[in-house]
Amino acid sequence: MTTLTKLALGMMGALRPKPARGDSATSISLPPPETNGGQPLMEALASRHSSREFARESLSMPLLSNLLWAAYGINRAGGGRTAPSALNAQEIEVFVALSSGAYRYDAAANQLDLVAASDLRSVTGYQDFVDEAPLDLVYVADHTRMGLVPVAQRESYASAAAGAIAQNVYLFAAGNGLATVIRAWIDRAAIADALGLTHDQQVLLSQTVGYPKQAA
């Protein structure tokens, strides 16, 4: 689907997901993440960049598990995460849009829980590359977890937390030969509808991840 087509559908409120490809499992158990090793931080920072060209090849389950743990996994006793949040509200939910469906990342159980048995990738952004890249991450703020934060400041607090998660993904991608790009040009209403979000949940950003497209 082209960018112009998506824009037109979005203006009409008619941007919709596609049928899922393959089995939409109710839950997907992820292998334990590998939390040791990897590229040195300074080298990952040196190679960190945005890319908008992706191969269609799916990420393996071990690689996906490592990616999600790096993004927002539990890294210490007491449930602390790899990315910060003000007052430890942990208000961000990470949703994973795959060809087989859309899933919520459950860091405590280290699994993906199905929320929509449809291919939502094309809904997660207006650019055409999101349709075929293997996965798109969607960062959603749950305002019910931010009771101690003044209402007027909740969006900015949550956006800062989502930005920290996105940078974790960037650094993981740089250190593991992956391509990624963060995206704010998205149809938030269409995404919220496709994911079945409540009025207390706010779509903030999307981020595409995959293998880099090889030059012909």
Side-chain angles (χ1 to χ4, degrees):
M1 191 185 306
T2 67
T3 296
L4 289 177
T5 299
K6 289 186 183 183
L7 281 170
L9 290 173
M11 292 175 65
M12 295 186 294
L15 187 60
R16 296 288 185 269
K18 300 176 181 177
R21 302 179 189 174
D23 179 36
S24 300
T26 303
S27 65
I28 299 175
S29 296
L30 298 168
E34 299 175 6
T35 59
N36 296 313
Q39 189 178 52
L41 175 61
M42 299 304 281
E43 294 181 16
L45 285 167
S47 57
R48 190 219 67 82
H49 69 283
S50 294
S51 178
R52 294 169 179 80
E53 294 186 328
F54 299 87
R56 297 187 180 187
E57 180 184 355
S58 299
L59 274 60
S60 67
M61 282 297 111
L63 185 58
L64 178 58
S65 177
N66 292 349
L67 166 67
L68 293 172
W69 181 86
Y72 202 40
I74 294 174
N75 69 349
R76 58 194 181 276
R81 300 294 189 97
T82 58
S85 63
L87 303 173
N88 196 33
Q90 297 188 11
E91 71 275 20
I92 302 300
E93 292 275 14
V94 178
F95 291 86
V96 184
L98 303 170
S99 63
S100 59
Y103 296 81
R104 184 184 67 86
Y105 173 50
D106 183 337
N110 193 38
Q111 68 181 30
L112 299 176
D113 296 322
L114 184 70
V115 296
S118 302
D119 184 354
L120 271 60
R121 292 176 298 169
S122 62
V123 179
T124 66
Y126 290 116
Q127 298 94 331
D128 53 5
F129 62 77
V130 304
D131 295 33
E132 298 298 341
L135 72 94
D136 290 292
L137 304 175
V138 178
Y139 304 133
V140 173
D142 186 342
H143 289 268
T144 65
R145 302 179 188 176
M146 305 180 74
L148 298 178
V149 179
V151 173
Q153 299 180 26
R154 289 178 183 176
E155 183 173 351
S156 61
Y157 276 42
S159 295
I165 296 170
Q167 179 70 335
N168 283 354
V169 172
Y170 265 106
L171 294 177
F172 180 86
N176 290 271
L178 297 176
T180 188
V181 62
I182 189 71
R183 298 180 288 99
W185 188 39
I186 55 180
D187 188 331
R188 290 171 174 80
I191 295 172
D193 181 62
L195 291 174
L197 302 183
T198 70
H199 292 296
D200 292 317
Q201 294 176 295
Q202 179 185 11
V203 176
L204 298 174
L205 298 165
S206 295
Q207 188 167 13
T208 305
V209 185
Y211 292 107
K213 187 175 183 179
Q214 300 301 314

